[in-house]
Amino acid sequence: MDSQVIVALDFDSHRAAGELVARLGDACGAYKVGLELLTAAGPGLVRELVARGHEVFLDLKLFEIPDSVAGAVRSAGALGASMVTVHAMGGTGIMAAAVEAAREFPRLKVLALTVVTSMTSGDLADVGIASSTDEQVLRLARLAARAGCDGVVAAPREAAALRTLLGPQPLIVTPGVTLPGETQRGPRGGEVRAGTPWAALADGASHVVVGRSVTRAPDPVAALRRIAAGGQPCG
Ligand code: C5P
């Protein structure tokens, strides 16, 4: 995926997403479409984005039996998606099935979601995992690399350790970023392991996913350009 900054289209309708896409125009090269928008708007929206020359990160967060994961990955590839996510916690079998299914689609990258950024070590303990989030992220990233995944999704503060562990090639995609001064996030909450997009990229992330900092900004184009320019206001 060429654009380092991926804008998350977290909207509940085709119309709302389409308005933002029209507003951003050429300023945005890549969008993330998640389960909310996919369920509300359907796959036609993904086809439309791809037809207009945008890259699409289809954030399906697959956690299923390997055959079903493979089928969903093929469907994502057929839509023209550039990235798709599978839960690393599902283990080697489903990651390998996703990688195998993606072979038909040379542009499609399989990303393993390590630990959802809103989870704490306490949340992991609740589901029977004694490791800290840091340990668990690294363990799952190692597993994902062995299964042949193209990269991982993790929190910004994990980017540096992941880059050291994985080496230069794999993709490291970090959502959960916030801009300076944006500490309150409203109903979605989370951000427990947040960081700025620039810190994440400097630490070795290949891509950052930015949602509300752009989509709810008074001037989304200016917000996106500021992020892409490394934090300097730009014209
Ligand atoms: O918070 P923001 O609006 O930038 O979220 C954009 C995307 O990043 C969301 O679609 C969500 O999947 C992801 N996210 C995350 N962890 C957070 C916040 C958001 O993974 N703490």
Side-chain angles (χ1 to χ4, degrees):
M1 185 168 289
D2 291 340
S3 315
Q4 278 199 305
V5 183
I6 303 168
V7 173
L9 287 176
D10 291 325
F11 292 104
D12 62 3
S13 72
H14 192 298
R15 186 188 52 76
E19 281 173 11
L20 195 267
V21 170
R23 221 169 151 191
L24 289 180
D26 292 341
C28 182
Y31 289 103
K32 179 170 93 78
V33 174
L35 297 174
E36 179 185 13
L37 183 60
L38 185 69
T39 306
L45 176 96
V46 176
R47 283 195 205 94
E48 252 174 57
L49 290 169
V50 172
R52 285 189 200 166
H54 299 296
E55 290 183 289
V56 175
F57 168 8
L58 202 50
D59 194 11
L60 297 181
K61 295 187 165 70
L62 299 166
F63 198 146
E64 248 283 16
I65 60 167
D67 281 356
S68 300
V69 166
V73 167
R74 279 193 297 273
S75 294
L79 286 177
S82 299
M83 290 175 168
V84 66
T85 40
V86 58
H87 269 284
M89 289 275 277
T92 303
I94 72 165
M95 288 192 279
V99 169
E100 184 56 34
R103 281 194 211 289
E104 272 179 65
F105 307 95
R107 69 189 288 188
L108 181 61
K109 306 291 184 203
V110 174
L111 301 178
L113 174 56
T114 56
V115 178
V116 176
T117 63
S118 57
M119 287 186 89
T120 63
S121 298
D123 293 325
L124 291 181
D126 286 346
V127 294
I129 295 168
S131 313
S132 67
T133 53
D134 290 353
E135 290 162 349
Q136 185 69 357
V137 165
L138 294 179
R139 169 195 293 265
L140 293 175
R142 226 175 274 124
L143 208 59
R146 272 194 228 123
C149 290
D150 298 289
V152 295
V153 180
R157 77 149 208 238
E158 286 136 15
L162 283 168
R163 187 51 76 204
T164 303
L165 176 79
L166 297 173
Q169 200 60 33
L171 303 175
I172 298 175
V173 179
T174 60
V177 291
T178 51
L179 300 183
E182 280 184 342
T183 45
Q184 293 302 316
R185 278 311 211 167
R188 189 171 309 197
E191 270 73 42
V192 179
R193 286 146 61 215
T196 71
W198 313 300
L201 291 169
D203 282 350
S206 57
H207 300 81
V208 291
V209 174
V210 186
R212 290 161 291 184
S213 304
V214 168
T215 59
R216 297 200 189 166
D219 183 344
V221 173
L224 179 56
R225 291 210 166 122
R226 178 178 167 223
I227 294 166
Q232 305 305 314
C234 69

